[in-house]
Amino acid sequence: MSTIIQPEHIEEIWKSMIMLDEQTSLNIVDTLEQDQPALLEYLMSPPEEFTEAESENLLYAGIVVWKIFDTFGPDIRVVTEEEIFDIEDTNIDVMMTLEGESAGDGIAVIERMLDTYPQPHLLASIAELLLVEDEEVEEDDIISDQARGTMMLILKTVLDAMISAEKK
């Protein structure tokens, strides 16, 4: 059984990442590039319809998710691009079954998923990040509802890829 990352560890990394200076941030990106190059490439290739702010938020959130997993999760092997896209295809199929569901139904599906998901707290933090709207965000930084759904897909794919790469 793998290590389940606890909410306090997730919060610790989120808080520490907010306070980073530029050089430390670049060092973290360099480490991600060395350790998991395909994950970084995936995060740096957002859909064309994303705004600059949405692309930056996706990259930031993805790096934080990786940092949390890297710090408190199990050891993992390097994830390949092919694995990422296979996992993404599976996640797209799941999301397609939800299309047309109300927001409440989507939340209920996430709640059921958390009951059996290997890293429930980390998945919940991703969902919370994308579902909770910040009233104080400037208009240029607002993330569209469509981008939120796509970001959920991408970030869950990153998390699923790391989970599947756990060294046994």
Side-chain angles (χ1 to χ4, degrees):
M1 181 68 181
S2 70
T3 304
I4 295 178
I5 300 168
Q6 297 302 308
E8 58 271 16
H9 295 140
I10 295 166
E11 187 175 336
E12 177 185 324
I13 297 294
W14 275 112
K15 286 181 178 177
S16 72
M17 294 291 284
I18 291 171
M19 308 304 245
L20 297 180
D21 59 54
E22 186 177 352
Q23 186 57 53
T24 306
S25 298
L26 292 172
N27 291 344
I28 289 172
V29 172
D30 286 345
T31 302
L32 173 54
E33 183 175 31
Q34 290 170 6
D35 292 356
Q36 295 291 343
L39 283 180
L40 180 59
E41 180 66 29
Y42 181 67
L43 289 168
M44 293 181 71
S45 305
E48 289 180 13
E49 66 270 11
F50 270 30
T51 65
E52 185 176 334
E54 290 166 344
S55 296
E56 289 172 358
N57 280 310
L58 172 64
L59 179 59
Y60 176 74
I63 290 170
V64 173
V65 168
W66 166 79
K67 183 69 174 161
I68 292 166
F69 203 93
D70 185 59
T71 304
F72 294 108
D75 288 337
I76 61 173
R77 62 175 169 68
V78 176
V79 177
T80 67
E81 184 177 324
E82 182 179 351
E83 289 173 303
I84 294 168
F85 288 114
D86 286 348
I87 291 167
E88 182 185 64
D89 287 344
T90 300
N91 284 336
I92 288 171
D93 290 344
V94 170
M95 288 185 84
M96 294 306 271
T97 64
L98 299 177
E99 200 165 303
E101 301 286 335
S102 71
D105 290 340
I107 291 169
V109 167
I110 290 172
E111 287 174 349
R112 280 195 309 273
M113 188 184 303
L114 292 174
D115 290 338
T116 59
Y117 195 73
Q119 292 293 343
H121 306 299
L122 194 46
L123 182 60
S125 75
I126 293 169
E128 182 181 342
L129 171 74
L130 295 172
L131 294 175
V132 175
E133 296 205 22
D134 189 346
E135 308 277 324
E136 299 174 18
V137 172
E138 293 183 32
E139 192 170 324
D140 291 345
D141 293 334
I142 291 177
I143 300 171
S144 71
D145 288 342
Q146 181 168 350
R148 287 177 196 277
T150 303
M151 289 170 91
M152 183 69 195
L153 168 73
I154 292 168
L155 294 171
K156 183 176 181 301
T157 297
V158 166
L159 182 55
D160 289 350
M162 290 187 294
I163 290 168
S164 73
E166 180 179 347
K167 292 180 180 175
K168 304 287 181 195

